[in-house]
Structures are given as structure tokens and as C-alpha cells.
Amino acid sequence: MSDITVLGIFVADISFSGNKLPSMGETILGDSYNVGPGGKGCNQAIAISRLGGKVNFISKLGDDEYGKLAINKLKKDNIDTSNIIISNKHKTGVAGIHVDKNTGKNAITVVRGAPSSLTTKEIDTNLFKQSKIFLTQLEIPIQVTLHCLKAAKEYGLINILNPAPACELSNDFFKLVDYFTPNETEAEFYTGVKINNANDAKVSAKKLIEMGIKKVIITLGEKGLLYSDGKEEIYMKATADKAVDTTGAGDAFNGGFSFALLKGKKIKECLEIANKVAGFSTTKLGAGDSMPIPKDINLTV
Ligand code: RIB
């Protein structure tokens, strides 16, 4: 039994922290490196579970060291790993992440490995019936994502799509999504509207609603976030936390938001909780490992 089903990838994040991000053709000397859990789905699953939600994480791993690391880490965080497929034909993926320690900003290349071979036949969508919320991103093959969104909708789940990394989506997607949660770059990809401020975000959200999406949350990094359902609009500033590493902040937000929604909170409170989870995650190095437990963000549920 799980409250939330998360479909997504696990990769081993190999993060390099230094005084700046390297430019094209440049070699820089970094200060430290870390190997930890990453992949948007994995990070979101950890965020939910640490807050107290029961998570079923659906993914695919290689039968290798990083695959073992994944299972250990996920189990330690009380995540149901029984629906993770282990492939002996593919490797577990990795991400190479450069972090500028002064701003916390990053540049990421992900090699997905095993989950890039995931097929619809490998997923038992009957399991979705046990959950109330289905949360996914765009790191899994697109046809699998669409198939699962359809199944989740048929079973009456709330569908949350974090469209990251952005890629072309058919109209079928938009109709199936209850909450669409792009960051400002991803929102620009779908609407063509460059977002520099809250007003631009409102224009972008309006376009997304016109495309058939029910509810939109555009995360704006240090500028905060904008929610719209076509009638109600909420703008919220980001927390004042000093960012050390912003990797996984969007995942923290999605995890925190899904958890708050599960707990039946009103939209404004869901956004406040998600905002705090995201803010906290930026104060720690790493992605999956930077997710808070309730007392870190003074959360009582
Ligand atoms: O959102 C951050 C995540 O994106 C990283 O953990 C990296 O693995 C990529 O999937």
C-alpha cells in the first residue's frame, strides 16, 4: 500500500563543487566531489518519504554497484522498491554535475542507463490503484510516461507532471495532467514566453491553461513561484535560504507539494510547504541526500 506512486529514474549523481562552472574548453581545479542518489524521480520519492508519505517508486536499474547503491539508499529512506526492475542487460545511469559553490547553480548531463529501455509491458499499472497521487517527470521514455498517466487517470489518481527535462508533448499529455510543474525555462519551452518576472510567469501560465492543463505551478528559482488554475493566481516569494547547491530543488518542490496535497492541505499551504522543502534542499550539497525531514522545516502534519 502506498500513498503516492512515483515513476522516474535513479542515477548516481557525481557532483563536482568548485569556484565556478567550467567554460567550454576550460579545465578548473574543483574543491570537492560527492557521489549520491539522483535522478528526478528518485529525488522526488525521497522528498515525499522523508516527510512521511508512503512511496512506491517505479524504475529500472542495472545489476551493478550503482544499482545496489540505489536499492540501499531507497530502502533506508523507507521507499517501496519492490516494483523496481533490475536489468542484466543495461547499466544503472549516472549524472555528471558541476556546482558553482558561490551561487549554488549547476550544469548537469544525465546518462539514464537502464530506465531508457523501460517499456509499457514492464509496468503493472494495477498497482496504481493503491495510490492517490501519481507523480512523474520526463526522464522515462515518453510513451511509457503517457501510458502510465492514462492508467493513473483511469484509476482516479491525481496526476502531477514535472515536465523536466522539457521535450515535445502531444495534447494527450496536457489533458491527463492535473498539476503541471515546469520551471521558468521549461515553461518557456512550452509557451515561447521568456520569463523574467512574475508578470511574465502569469502570461506563460495562462497559455498553458489554454493548452488544456488544469493547474499550473511555474517555479522561478530565487524569484519564487506562480500558481494558476485559470481563475485563482498565487505568487509566492522564494525562501531566504542561502543556496549552497540548487541541484534537486525542483524535485524537492514536487515532492513537498505532492505530500502536502496528499495530506489534504489547501493549495496555498501546499505551495508554502513545497517552497520550504525546496529552500531547505538548496542549503545542502547533493540532490536526493538534501531532502528534509519534517522538523528541518518546522512541519507538523
Ligand atoms: O533535478 C536534479 C536531477 O536531475 C539530478 O539529481 C540529476 O540526476 C538529474 O536527473
Side-chain angles (χ1 to χ4, degrees):
M1 187 71 191
S2 61
D3 299 324
I4 301 180
T5 293
V6 178
L7 169 72
I9 69 168
F10 167 95
V11 292
D13 277 359
I14 307 177
S15 307
F16 306 93
S17 175
N19 244 331
K20 55 179 266 194
L21 301 181
S23 313
M24 184 84 77
E26 186 184 26
T27 301
I28 62 167
L29 298 178
D31 300 317
S32 60
Y33 81 96
N34 181 58
V35 182
K40 296 179 195 300
C42 160
N43 300 337
Q44 294 175 9
I46 293 178
I48 296 164
S49 189
R50 286 198 183 169
L51 293 173
K54 289 197 184 78
V55 186
N56 172 23
F57 182 47
I58 301 180
S59 193
K60 193 167 181 177
L61 298 167
D63 188 10
D64 49 26
E65 281 313 303
Y66 287 145
K68 289 189 185 93
L69 172 90
I71 297 290
N72 288 340
K73 288 270 184 191
L74 294 165
K75 279 192 172 156
K76 212 168 155 199
D77 267 309
N78 296 317
I79 291 165
D80 181 353
T81 59
S82 55
N83 300 298
I84 296 180
I85 299 151
I86 309 289
S87 163
N88 49 21
K89 288 199 197 115
H90 304 90
K91 287 183 180 170
T92 304
V94 289
I97 305 182
H98 290 277
V99 181
D100 176 338
K101 71 171 187 191
N102 303 306
T103 61
K105 300 219 158 131
N106 59 59
I108 307 178
T109 301
V110 188
V111 178
R112 296 173 298 170
S116 63
S117 70
L118 197 60
T119 65
T120 52
K121 285 193 189 125
E122 287 176 303
I123 297 176
D124 180 5
T125 50
N126 274 314
L127 293 167
F128 295 5
K129 284 185 206 155
Q130 300 171 358
S131 293
K132 298 192 179 80
I133 294 175
F134 178 71
L135 169 64
T136 193
Q137 326 72 34
L138 296 175
E139 291 186 319
I140 287 288
I142 202 78
Q143 69 282 6
V144 179
T145 308
L146 181 59
H147 172 78
C148 291
L149 283 166
K150 274 185 189 154
K153 195 78 319 238
E154 271 163 26
Y155 292 135
L157 277 69
I158 297 171
N159 276 341
I160 305 176
L161 177 63
N162 173 219
C167 70
E168 289 296 335
L169 296 177
S170 65
N171 277 344
D172 295 355
F173 269 89
F174 298 135
K175 288 184 209 126
L176 291 165
V177 173
D178 296 294
Y179 292 89
F180 191 69
T181 61
N183 65 18
E184 70 259 65
T185 321
E186 290 143 7
E188 183 185 346
F189 177 91
Y190 292 106
T191 63
V193 177
K194 177 129 195 68
I195 301 179
N196 291 312
N197 51 47
N199 233 2
D200 299 336
K202 286 183 187 177
V203 176
S204 182
K206 189 163 179 278
K207 286 202 167 205
L208 289 164
I209 299 274
E210 283 164 5
M211 285 156 78
I213 295 163
K214 294 175 194 70
K215 294 165 187 181
V216 175
I217 305 166
I218 305 178
T219 54
L220 306 167
E222 67 271 22
K223 292 194 282 298
L225 67 95
L226 181 93
Y227 163 85
S228 175
D229 61 10
K231 291 190 197 108
E232 185 183 14
E233 272 178 358
I234 301 172
Y235 170 73
M236 206 170 275
K237 286 189 176 161
T239 63
D241 298 323
K242 160 97 182 87
V244 171
D245 178 1
T246 58
T247 315
D251 303 330
F253 184 90
N254 278 277
F257 181 77
S258 306
F259 175 76
L261 208 58
L262 174 79
K263 293 290 159 192
K265 307 282 183 199
K266 297 243 164 67
I267 186 66
K268 189 158 175 283
E269 200 180 345
C270 290
L271 297 170
E272 281 163 357
I273 291 172
N275 210 15
K276 280 189 194 167
V277 177
F280 180 90
S281 78
T282 67
T283 65
K284 305 271 175 256
L285 280 176
D289 278 339
S290 68
M291 303 302 166
I293 56 171
K295 83 168 173 13
D296 291 328
I297 54 166
N298 297 322
L299 179 65
T300 43
V301 278

